[in-house]
Amino acid sequence: MAKAVQGDGVELARARYGLLAVVSSNLAIAVVALVGVWQLDGDTSVVVGVLTAAFTAVSSMTTAYLGIKAVSNTAKSIVLDENRRRREAEAAVPAQGPGDASRVS
C-alpha cells in the first residue's frame, strides 16, 4: 500500500509541475506578444502576425500538455484494470500444490 501512495504522490507532482510549466510558458508567450505589440506602435499587419503566432504557440502548448496527460491517464487506467482482472482471475482459480497434479485429468 505504501508503494501505491508513493506512486500517487509522484503522479500528483508530475501533474502539478507539468501544469505549472504550461501556465508559465503561456504567460511568458503572452508577455512577449504584448511587449511586441506595444513596441510596434500600431503597425496593424505586423500586430496581427504577432498575435496570431502567440495564439498558435499558446494553443499548441496547452493542447500538447492536455493530450499527453490524457494518454498517460488512459494508459494508467488500462494497466490498473488489467492488474485488477488478473488478481480476480487468480483468486477465482484455486492454487494447486505439487501433489494435486495427479488428480487433474
Side-chain angles (χ1 to χ4, degrees), residues 64-104:
Y65 171 74
L66 294 175
I68 291 168
K69 191 66 183 150
V71 169
S72 174
N73 290 345
T74 302
K76 183 178 177 182
S77 69
I78 289 171
V79 168
L80 291 175
D81 189 47
E82 187 65 31
N83 287 340
R84 182 187 54 82
R85 287 183 185 177
R86 186 176 299 127
R87 281 193 308 269
E88 288 175 357
E90 289 172 356
V93 176
Q96 292 182 349
D100 295 338
S102 60
R103 288 183 245 159
V104 177

Side-chain angles (χ1 to χ4, degrees), residues 29 33 37 44-60:
I29 292 167
V37 168
T44 309
S45 61
V46 179
V47 168
V48 169
V50 168
L51 293 178
T52 301
F55 179 77
T56 301
V58 166
S59 63
S60 298

Side-chain angles (χ1 to χ4, degrees), residues 4-20 65 69 73 76:
V5 172
Q6 183 181 11
D8 289 343
V10 170
E11 287 300 317
L12 184 61
R14 284 183 185 168
R16 283 183 181 165
Y17 289 117
L19 183 61
L20 179 65
Y65 171 74
K69 191 66 183 150
N73 290 345
K76 183 178 177 182

